[in-house]
Amino acid sequence: MAMARLLRLRGLLRATGPRPFSAEASPLQTEQSGTKRPEPSSAKSLVDIGTRRIFTSDHDIFRESARKFFQEEVLPFHAQWEKDGQVSRELWEKAGQQGLLGVAIAEKHGGIGADILSSAVVWEEQMYVNCTGPGFSLHSDIVMPYIANYGSEEQIKRFIPEMVAGKCIGAIAMTEPGAGSDLQGVRTYAKKDGSDWILNGSKVFITNGWMSDVVIVVAVTNREAQSPAHGISLFLVENGTKGFIKGRKLNKIGLKAQDTAELFFEDVRLPASALLGKENKGFYYLMAELPQERLLIADMALAGCEFMFEETRNYVKQRKAFGKTIAHLQTVQHKLAEMKTQICVGRAFLDNCLQLHADKRLDSSTASMAKYWSSDLQNSIATQCVQLHGGWGYMWEYPIAKAFVDARVQPIYGGTNEIMKELIARDIVSDK
């Protein structure tokens, strides 16, 4: 069993450390002999371990270990990484040793071989410590699936084991200065030269771009195609390749510890073996993999909401005004009630999407709903939680301030929320 292998090989059964927000799994919360798991709405905390019916006790054990890792190996160092504009390479290798990378990649390809729900555990636990620096989710659940699903045996053997170990950091380069959500507007071009390819172009806003060891580059390979979608291919470009230049780390308003870079390709000569999948099929590969990317963004957005709610709940129960804690004020209580309801409604839909995806039934339209709804909610919750913190919520040393600025990009990347609505509407009005 894949989960058993994950727990056994990575030593995840050892005792774990303290959990935030009183998130201990009580005997009633732990799945035993089919007993029912509580829903977040009735749990002590929205981040309790042992809740949510989509998970099992095996997932709980993995979550305990993942939570301990993020608390001990990420949280204490994140402020420095924000100043550096990137996390450390040592962290990546520690994550590999802990079994947190390539979790849902098949064992036959060199991955851990667990289910996508186990990957979701990692996504969520990162958000529960409010540390957006590590680009683990993009590396493991966006980049690696392209290689595992469309790569040659040689490419899989070359990259997947090293990526699972955290020794090879992956990125994907879609966005260009003049092409964001419109992937058919890509201008980066790869031209055939004998059996080789000559790659020219530039990319921007590339997560893991500065630290990347291998980048999946989206490029036009047939300018005469009947439509741009028919003339796009994917290439694996390794760091150090002549003509592959990493530009500056971009200075963003949020995600301060996440290395985001410009990439330039100047007459980069690539062997035929650098082509990922088939020539001119890249756009179809992108369309097949984007639902998982959007689900990932959605789940991390919801987890961000859960973190912000608990952070704010704790704050209002301590902050005093007018002779009592502000949690005693009816307007604050009603705001908390509204937020918890909105988050629990969103979580119910998101968990359904996660289960659909685990069953390979999640379609593009539903994934788009999840991404747009959850990221919009994340920004709404962030605004309300900052307001409940008052002036302190505007101070950088308060976690809610970082959560607020980190949330803003969520409706933009992975396809803007306006594009998500277009995709949803297309299904609604289609006669097919």
Side-chain angles (χ1 to χ4, degrees):
M1 180 182 175
M3 178 61 74
R5 174 179 180 268
L6 172 60
L7 301 177
R8 184 177 67 252
L9 294 185
R10 300 302 183 182
L12 302 184
L13 294 173
R14 62 180 181 274
T16 57
R19 310 179 184 100
F21 312 133
S22 301
E24 295 187 17
S26 70
L28 289 177
Q29 289 175 312
T30 304
E31 184 186 58
Q32 297 288 349
S33 304
T35 54
K36 294 180 179 178
R37 300 165 66 88
E39 293 301 312
S41 58
S42 58
K44 184 177 180 181
S45 160
L46 293 181
V47 299
D48 274 357
I49 295 176
T51 64
R52 299 163 57 189
R53 70 189 77 171
I54 64 172
F55 293 118
T56 68
S57 55
D58 282 343
H59 291 114
D60 296 342
I61 295 169
F62 183 46
R63 186 181 291 276
E64 287 177 346
S65 180
R67 183 165 293 187
K68 182 174 187 288
F69 177 86
F70 281 108
Q71 287 175 351
E72 295 182 357
E73 302 293 347
V74 178
L75 184 58
F77 311 103
H78 203 262
Q80 182 59 49
W81 293 334
E82 288 171 359
K83 295 175 184 177
D84 297 340
Q86 65 182 77
V87 303
S88 68
R89 278 200 167 265
E90 181 185 14
L91 175 69
W92 279 89
E93 295 194 21
K94 285 182 178 179
Q97 293 164 6
Q98 192 74 1
L100 299 179
L101 303 176
V103 172
I105 299 298
E107 189 176 351
K108 66 180 180 181
H109 294 324
I112 301 299
D115 59 4
I116 195 64
L117 298 180
S118 301
S119 285
V121 167
V122 181
W123 308 339
E124 292 165 9
E125 290 305 317
Q126 180 171 344
M127 297 304 291
Y128 290 164
V129 293
N130 197 36
C131 294
T132 52
F136 297 160
S137 58
L138 179 131
H139 169 89
S140 295
D141 301 299
I142 297 177
V143 177
M144 290 177 70
Y146 282 100
I147 300 174
N149 293 338
Y150 310 112
S152 65
E153 184 177 349
E154 177 189 353
Q155 290 169 335
I156 290 169
K157 288 181 178 179
R158 167 74 180 83
F159 294 108
I160 295 295
E162 290 289 290
M163 295 177 81
V164 170
K167 296 178 179 179
C168 175
I169 299 173
I172 185 164
M174 299 188 208
T175 305
E176 299 182 0
S181 293
D182 179 17
L183 286 173
Q184 297 191 56
V186 166
R187 292 291 177 265
T188 297
Y189 179 54
K191 181 181 179 180
K192 267 277 183 69
D193 183 36
S195 62
D196 291 347
W197 295 90
I198 306 297
L199 180 68
N200 282 281
S202 65
K203 301 290 183 177
V204 72
F205 309 141
I206 308 305
T207 302
N208 293 347
W210 182 258
M211 297 184 71
S212 63
D213 298 299
V214 62
V215 182
I216 298 174
V217 179
V218 179
V220 174
T221 45
N222 182 5
R223 287 175 167 168
E224 308 304 320
Q226 62 186 51
S227 76
H230 290 84
I232 287 176
S233 301
L234 307 182
F235 293 90
L236 291 167
V237 182
E238 295 186 60
N239 186 36
T241 302
K242 186 178 180 181
F244 173 26
I245 303 165
K246 295 179 179 180
R248 62 194 172 96
K249 283 185 283 189
L250 299 174
N251 186 20
K252 310 178 297 294
I253 65 170
L255 306 181
K256 292 291 190 180
Q258 189 179 102
D259 68 297
T260 310
E262 299 172 305
L263 304 178
F264 301 96
F265 307 93
E266 299 178 359
D267 291 327
V268 177
R269 181 172 290 275
L270 299 171
S273 60
L275 180 67
L276 182 61
K278 296 181 179 179
E279 183 180 339
N280 298 324
K281 294 294 184 182
F283 187 81
Y284 303 100
Y285 299 152
L286 293 169
M287 292 303 101
E289 298 300 323
L290 279 172
Q292 177 159 303
E293 177 177 349
R294 288 162 182 164
L295 177 65
L296 181 160
I297 293 170
D299 192 37
M300 294 184 83
L302 241 298
C305 291
E306 290 159 344
F307 166 80
M308 290 186 287
F309 177 83
E310 296 300 338
E311 189 72 20
T312 303
R313 188 223 297 254
N314 288 343
Y315 179 81
V316 299
K317 290 170 71 175
Q318 297 169 13
R319 174 68 171 168
K320 289 188 176 180
F322 311 109
K324 55 187 175 182
T325 63
I326 61 174
H328 285 86
L329 300 174
Q330 188 181 62
T331 185
V332 171
Q333 293 176 357
H334 285 187
K335 184 60 66 178
L336 291 171
E338 291 170 2
M339 288 195 296
K340 183 174 182 180
T341 301
Q342 291 166 352
I343 293 168
C344 288
V345 169
R347 174 50 71 194
F349 178 61
L350 237 298
D351 278 3
N352 183 60
C353 289
L354 285 166
Q355 188 61 62
L356 284 171
H357 192 45
D359 296 337
K360 302 188 186 307
R361 295 171 52 213
L362 181 68
D363 59 35
S364 176
S365 178
T366 306
S368 298
M369 293 179 192
K371 193 268 178 182
Y372 124 66
W373 173 263
S374 299
S375 58
D376 271 7
L377 179 64
Q378 183 183 13
N379 279 270
S380 172
I381 295 295
T383 298
Q384 295 175 75
C385 287
V386 167
Q387 189 72 19
L388 288 173
H389 275 73
W392 296 111
Y394 201 65
M395 298 296 105
W396 189 249
E397 64 263 30
Y398 274 71
I400 198 64
K402 296 179 183 180
F404 176 81
V405 293
D406 287 349
R408 188 59 191 88
V409 75
Q410 295 274 73
I412 297 173
Y413 60 20
T416 66
N417 283 5
E418 289 74 23
I419 294 294
M420 296 303 99
K421 293 173 187 178
E422 285 289 321
L423 296 173
I424 298 163
R426 193 179 298 167
D427 268 11
I428 294 171
V429 301
S430 173
D431 293 329
K432 294 182 181 179

